[in-house]
Amino acid sequence: MGNEFVYCSFLVLLLVWLAPGNVAASHMEEDDVRVLRLPEGKEDGHSSSHMRMGMAMGMEEEDLLNPAAKVFATIKDVEVGKTMPIYFPYIDDPSSYQFLPKQKTHHIPLSSEQLPELLRFFPFSPDSNQALAMKQTLKICEMEAPKGEVQGCVTSLESMVDFAESIFGPDSKVGVVRSSLISKSTPLLQNYTVVESKEISTGKLIACHNEPYPYAVYYCHFQWGTVNKVFMVSLVGENGDEVNAVFLCHMDTSSWSAGHIGFRLLRLKPGESEICHFFPAYDMVVVP
């Protein structure tokens, strides 16, 4: 499965998601929702996408050395011919990041209060890594949105489209853009050279991050009054692997904390430059 960039109504989006070449969620059995995929190398259950979100709010100095922090850059960094180190995690099972049909998940509560019942349903031991991952995901889904931001968790295509239409408008068509998958032989961190960079959307966009759960759950968030740009950047790694990467740019950083890891890594100050970051293949950007 390569890069997906589709402008579509809900019906077309649904058909694209379940098209040949993708693992059709409609063919999954009930047992498929009882296997919790934990992010590789993260025994505490944190997803790497939210580790980056945590770093964006300012973390310790040693986090600057974390390979997963190598996702930040500026627009001038993705000019053709430029080379930079980028962290792209490998996805072992793409099907685990696809939505199940709504009828399989709508009756399952996404609630911290009902976590004990959920652990018996799936079933996981209360002190297992899987239980911890579920607890953390539910906490993320129940967070109060910061001022000027809309956020929430979606568990199906229908709920994702509903969330998008509540922001873009009820008659909007919805597009989804994702990075391509990386082969199993691809190093997590290596130098990539920019082959092509193309702006594909400016303005409103929704970032959605996959969270560890027994079925696909995406934390989606949108900021009012901000200007963003989305690029598709074609890259070639040192080992020859080709990647089509989503590159999201926050154009106004004047109100950001000076401790933001993007500033610290790029040696910039608030308002001095846009801050951009590459998206892994298991996350997505939704645009009108």
Side-chain angles (χ1 to χ4, degrees):
M1 185 172 75
N3 166 59
E4 299 178 36
F5 182 48
V6 187
Y7 282 104
C8 47
S9 64
F10 166 70
L11 179 59
V12 176
L13 180 61
L14 179 63
L15 292 175
V16 168
W17 204 281
L18 301 182
N22 290 337
V23 178
S26 58
H27 293 165
M28 294 185 180
E29 302 298 331
E30 289 295 337
D31 287 344
D32 291 324
V33 303
R34 301 191 179 216
V35 178
L36 177 55
R37 165 199 46 73
L38 289 174
E40 291 188 23
K42 296 296 294 177
E43 293 184 358
D44 61 357
H46 275 103
S47 72
S48 58
S49 62
H50 258 89
M51 182 174 69
R52 285 196 294 275
M53 289 181 65
M55 288 193 297
M57 292 184 283
M59 292 180 71
E60 302 301 324
E61 193 66 30
E62 58 265 25
D63 291 304
L64 295 173
L65 303 177
N66 191 319
K70 298 293 185 181
V71 294
F72 293 98
T74 63
I75 293 176
K76 67 179 182 181
D77 293 324
V78 294
E79 295 175 355
V80 174
K82 292 269 191 175
T83 298
M84 74 189 98
I86 308 173
Y87 180 89
F88 278 119
Y90 168 71
I91 294 179
D92 187 55
D93 180 14
S95 66
S96 65
Y97 297 91
Q98 295 177 347
F99 288 122
L100 291 175
K102 184 178 180 179
Q103 62 267 28
K104 283 193 174 185
T105 60
H106 79 279
H107 64 285
I108 306 175
L110 203 65
S111 167
S112 295
E113 290 185 357
Q114 300 192 50
L115 182 58
E117 290 78 10
L118 290 169
L119 293 178
R120 287 194 293 269
F121 173 76
F122 281 112
F124 300 124
S125 168
D127 58 354
S128 65
N129 287 335
Q130 288 85 352
L132 177 59
M134 289 181 65
K135 181 178 180 179
Q136 292 170 334
T137 291
L138 291 171
K139 182 178 180 180
I140 288 168
C141 292
E142 294 169 349
M143 287 189 308
E144 183 178 353
K147 185 178 180 180
E149 187 164 331
V150 180
Q151 63 186 28
C153 285
V154 299
T155 60
S156 66
L157 283 170
E158 294 92 335
S159 61
M160 184 188 75
V161 172
D162 288 343
F163 185 85
E165 289 183 344
S166 71
I167 294 168
F168 301 150
D171 298 323
S172 299
K173 294 183 178 181
V174 177
V176 176
V177 60
R178 309 180 82 150
S179 297
S180 63
L181 300 180
I182 313 301
S183 75
K184 199 167 187 176
S185 63
T186 302
L188 290 176
L189 178 66
Q190 67 169 322
N191 286 324
Y192 287 89
T193 299
V194 179
V195 176
E196 182 182 12
S197 179
K198 182 191 305 182
E199 183 179 331
I200 55 177
S201 183
T202 299
K204 290 183 177 180
L205 60 87
I206 300 168
C208 293
H209 307 279
N210 185 269
E211 300 299 334
Y213 213 67
Y215 52 90
V217 172
Y218 282 84
Y219 166 82
C220 298
H221 61 114
F222 168 81
Q223 292 179 311
W224 294 103
T226 60
V227 177
N228 301 290
K229 294 180 183 289
V230 182
F231 296 79
M232 184 59 66
V233 181
S234 298
L235 303 162
V236 176
E238 287 178 311
N239 69 344
D241 281 348
E242 298 179 359
V243 180
N244 289 319
V246 174
F247 189 64
L248 188 154
C249 294
H250 304 276
M251 304 306 295
D252 182 4
T253 62
S254 58
S255 63
W256 289 22
S257 166
H260 188 292
I261 193 169
F263 293 140
R264 293 155 66 192
L265 284 169
L266 303 175
R267 298 184 178 181
L268 296 170
K269 298 178 181 179
E272 194 173 62
S273 170
E274 76 281 351
I275 293 291
C276 312
H277 53 93
F278 290 96
F279 264 58
Y282 47 70
D283 290 347
M284 58 186 171
V285 178
V286 183
V287 296

